[in-house]
Amino acid sequence: MSAKLLDGKAVAEQENGRTRERVEALAARGITPGLATVLVGDNPASRVYVANKRKTCKKLGIASIDADLPADASEQQLLETVARLNADSRVHGLLVQMPLPSHIDDHKVLEAIDPRKDVDGFHPQNVGLLALGRPWIIPCTTQGILRLLERAEYGIAGKNAVIVGRSNIVGKPTALLLLALHATVTLCHTRTRDLPGLVGRADLVVAAMGRPEAIRGDWVAEGAAVIDVGINRVGEKLVGDVEFAAARERAGLITPVPGGVGPMTIAMLMENTVSLAERAH
Ligand code: NDP
């Protein structure tokens, strides 16, 4: 069997189309949604991500408010930038690109973002609301995964979902949302015993480890849905956390890298920005 490919690029285009219609409806009321992106330093991957976010804003008619700080900017300078953007009425969504240089406390910075403008959903207040099942905003990558599954008409309730990676930005919020949607969730990490066995019993696998092709194709159960969040540069190539070619032979649904979850994350960032602008007005 060869799995059906979940084409994140195509689905993201459709979602962006819907977002553009909402932007136009706001424009008719004299409102331009605005996304502020703060980039500190010159991490090459972060530069690419932020450039993509800013470019997509422009494509959809969302104002991009850009704040770039040098790698040696102090924590105080960054906190002042966040405070300025919190107070700026053009800004409906505000994100600070991670990772930050090591001399800056990222918890302090995330806590400084106005929770109502917290477009990534990483502020402790929004993490708490998500855990309580009353989300104000859903983190973009998690929302992108769920939307892809929804558009493929994949039913989550009752499924055994195995998530590999427990980060605050991907693994944990995805576990909470899948649980809220009535999956039975197993959240794995580096101390997990028998990862191949757990993956082999999963109906739905979400790989978010940052380890090139660490999930071997022959671990995957016949017919499983495989969502690969990983983005790893191997030489000139980008590969995911799943051994794609072999996994595709066994899975029922699978996302490619690139062109899977990546474009969906950006589309959901745009959607979150517009939702925050609608709520602000
Ligand atoms: P982190 O490095 O923050 O977390 C990685 C997680 O994977 C950790 O919980 C770690 O476990 C676990 N892990 C690592 N190696 C193994 C292993 N061999 N076995 C089991 N668990 C393991 O990563 P992120 O969550 O930030 O990102 C994960 C990947 O997703 C990266 O490739 C990143 O580039 C990509 N990404 C893609 C996005 C997209 O839009 N497509 C968005 C965000 C991230 P432990 O906690 O024990 O250390």
Side-chain angles (χ1 to χ4, degrees), residues 49 140-141 164-171 188-192 195 207-211 214-215 219 228-232 239-241 257 260-266:
Y49 295 145
C140 306
T141 302
V164 194
R166 57 176 162 181
S167 73
N168 291 335
I169 65 166
V170 187
C188 305
H189 44 78
T190 50
R191 311 284 179 96
T192 295
L195 188 61
M209 313 151 75
R211 298 280 179 270
I215 306 287
W219 297 359
D228 193 349
V229 182
I231 302 176
N232 309 289
V239 301
D241 288 348
V257 176
V261 177
M264 288 302 293
T265 297
I266 296 194

Side-chain angles (χ1 to χ4, degrees), residues 33 50 111 134 147 189 213 230 259:
V50 168
E111 282 170 31
R134 299 169 42 219
R147 190 64 58 80
H189 44 78
E213 301 190 330

Side-chain angles (χ1 to χ4, degrees), residues 1 21 25 30 33 45 47 51 69 79 88 96 106 129 137 143 158 161 163 175-176 179 236 248 250 258 281:
M1 185 166 108
E21 285 169 17
R47 279 208 167 275
L69 297 176
L79 291 172
D88 185 337
V96 177
D106 46 1
L129 287 171
I137 199 95
Q143 181 73 300
I163 302 167
L176 286 171
L179 188 62
E236 289 299 293
R248 190 176 185 186
R250 297 173 64 87
H281 295 274

Side-chain angles (χ1 to χ4, degrees), residues 169-187:
I169 65 166
V170 187
K172 278 186 207 160
T174 304
L176 286 171
L177 258 298
L178 288 175
L179 188 62
L181 294 168
H182 312 296
T184 302
V185 175
T186 306
L187 187 52

Side-chain angles (χ1 to χ4, degrees), residues 2-254:
S2 187
K4 183 176 166 222
L5 206 63
L6 284 180
D7 184 345
K9 208 168 158 207
V11 177
E13 272 306 310
Q14 290 161 11
E15 303 303 318
N16 284 339
R18 290 191 184 86
T19 301
R20 196 182 291 112
E21 285 169 17
R22 289 167 66 186
V23 171
E24 283 160 11
L26 283 168
R29 295 165 52 200
I31 301 157
T32 306
L35 174 66
T37 49
V38 183
L39 176 64
V40 184
D42 40 26
N43 177 314
S46 294
R47 279 208 167 275
V48 173
Y49 295 145
V50 168
N52 270 332
K53 291 170 186 179
R54 292 173 178 171
K55 194 176 78 190
T56 314
C57 276
K58 293 191 179 107
K59 214 171 78 182
L60 300 186
I62 295 171
S64 178
I65 296 118
D66 309 343
D68 292 351
L69 297 176
D72 61 357
S74 67
E75 186 176 276
Q76 191 52 33
Q77 266 175 300
L78 176 54
L79 291 172
E80 281 165 16
T81 303
V82 169
R84 174 172 61 75
L85 295 167
N86 279 341
D88 185 337
S89 61
R90 294 173 306 157
V91 174
H92 301 101
L94 163 54
L95 72 83
V96 177
Q97 184 66 42
M98 299 288 160
L100 290 169
S102 56
H103 65 278
I104 297 179
D105 178 352
D106 46 1
H107 294 291
K108 227 181 195 173
V109 173
L110 290 177
E111 282 170 31
I113 295 174
D114 180 341
R116 287 161 308 179
K117 295 190 176 187
D118 171 30
V119 72
D120 270 335
F122 298 155
H123 187 283
Q125 183 177 311
N126 289 326
V127 175
L129 287 171
L130 186 74
L132 291 171
R134 299 169 42 219
W136 162 254
I137 199 95
I138 295 176
C140 306
T141 302
T142 296
Q143 181 73 300
I145 294 168
L146 297 179
R147 190 64 58 80
L148 262 182
L149 291 171
E150 193 184 320
R151 297 295 179 224
E153 297 183 351
Y154 181 84
I156 289 169
K159 296 283 165 57
N160 279 326
V162 166
I163 302 167
V164 194
R166 57 176 162 181
S167 73
N168 291 335
I169 65 166
V170 187
K172 278 186 207 160
T174 304
L176 286 171
L177 258 298
L178 288 175
L179 188 62
L181 294 168
H182 312 296
T184 302
V185 175
T186 306
L187 187 52
C188 305
H189 44 78
T190 50
R191 311 284 179 96
T192 295
R193 276 189 263 162
D194 191 21
L195 188 61
L198 289 168
V199 168
R201 287 191 290 282
D203 304 305
L204 170 62
V205 181
V206 178
M209 313 151 75
R211 298 280 179 270
E213 301 190 330
I215 306 287
R216 310 309 294 175
D218 60 4
W219 297 359
V220 171
E222 288 288 342
V226 178
I227 306 289
D228 193 349
V229 182
I231 302 176
N232 309 289
R233 185 166 288 284
V234 177
E236 289 299 293
K237 255 181 78 182
L238 284 187
V239 301
D241 288 348
V242 177
E243 190 193 11
F244 179 80
R248 190 176 185 186
E249 291 308 309
R250 297 173 64 87
L253 291 174
I254 192 165

